[in-house]
């Protein structure tokens, strides 16, 4: 269940905690909301994010990821293909997640409204088993929550920002 709580200091933004259950599950990169990119339909934002690791230099591998029926298959296949990931992925991964989520929220007005209505809260993805994208049981980096806040700001000002390189 998402919770809204105050931060430690008075000048800190309130915090909205969310996970795969409840009203804010649509914010997740693996929620069942398709994303269209370059005239291809990706079943979820996660499909597109993982496919982007290969899209421009190994489109055959990106297409295999796009065609995965289940989210669990996407991450397993991407890990299996790890040796083929674009070389600069660690430098572009966070920007790519921002761009993928931006597309998702542009293409789903109900989700865009859901995200925009979270302002001014900080967003925390409660996922104890994921110390990178989630809160990692309180010691994680919460990169998904941070990405969503950046996307929310981008949607609020109406700017396209960086988007994917050609």
């Amino acid at each position: 269940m998402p919770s809204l709580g105050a931060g430690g200091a008075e000048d800190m933004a309130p915090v909205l905690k969310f996970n795969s259950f409840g009203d804010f599950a649509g914010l997740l990169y693996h929620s069942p909301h398709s994303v269209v990119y370059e005239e291809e339909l990706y079943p979820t934002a996660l499909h597109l994010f993982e496919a982007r690791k290969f899209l421009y230099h190994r489109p055959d591998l990106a297409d295999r990821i796009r065609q995965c029926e289940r989210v669990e298959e996407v991450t397993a296949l991407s890990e299996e293909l790890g040796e083929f990931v674009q070389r600069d992925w660690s430098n572009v991964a966070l920007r790519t997640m921002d761009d993928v989520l931006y597309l998702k929220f542009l293409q789903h007005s109900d989700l865009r409204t859901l995200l925009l209505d979270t302002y001014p809260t900080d967003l925390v993805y409660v996922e104890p088993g994921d110390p990178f994208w989630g809160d990692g049981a309180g010691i994680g980096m919460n990169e998904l929550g941070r990405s969503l806040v950046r996307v929310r700001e981008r949607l609020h000002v109406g700017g396209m920002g960086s988007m994917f390189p050609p």
Side-chain angles (χ1 to χ4, degrees):
M1 180 98 182
S3 64
L4 187 62
E10 279 189 35
D11 61 339
M12 291 181 65
V15 175
L16 174 69
K17 296 182 178 186
F18 66 98
N19 58 24
S20 298
F21 308 99
D23 296 338
F24 296 93
L27 300 179
L28 295 171
Y29 45 59
H30 60 270
S31 71
H33 299 89
S34 61
V35 179
V36 176
Y37 177 66
E38 293 187 349
E39 300 181 19
E40 293 283 358
L41 181 67
Y42 293 80
T44 69
L46 179 64
H47 283 75
L48 176 55
F49 176 76
E50 293 295 334
R52 283 281 294 118
K53 294 177 179 179
F54 313 98
L55 191 59
Y56 297 113
H57 67 289
R58 288 295 306 267
D60 58 316
L61 301 181
D63 201 47
R64 284 180 57 195
I65 289 173
R66 185 180 61 79
Q67 293 176 16
C68 287
E69 291 185 21
R70 298 175 345 145
V71 169
E72 297 81 11
E73 296 170 4
V74 171
T75 51
L77 181 56
S78 182
E79 287 177 18
E80 180 182 318
L81 301 172
E83 67 183 285
F84 303 108
V85 171
Q86 72 182 58
R87 285 184 222 147
D88 66 341
W89 184 249
S90 62
N91 295 327
V92 300
L94 292 177
R95 187 184 82 218
T96 300
M97 179 59 80
D98 289 1
D99 289 343
V100 166
L101 290 173
Y102 183 72
L103 287 175
K104 172 184 171 175
F105 291 105
L106 277 181
Q107 295 172 20
H108 296 277
S109 62
D110 57 329
L111 296 178
R112 183 171 57 249
T113 298
L114 179 68
L115 179 60
L116 288 170
D117 285 351
T118 65
Y119 181 82
T121 63
D122 284 333
L123 300 172
V124 175
Y125 174 35
V126 178
E127 180 51 66
D130 189 342
F132 185 78
W133 293 113
D135 70 343
I139 59 168
M141 298 172 61
N142 187 40
E143 289 296 343
L144 178 60
R146 292 172 170 202
S147 180
L148 288 165
V149 168
R150 290 189 298 269
V151 169
R152 181 182 66 199
E153 178 62 23
R154 193 166 159 190
L155 289 166
H156 179 73
V157 298
M160 286 290 287
S162 63
M163 292 306 287
F164 298 123

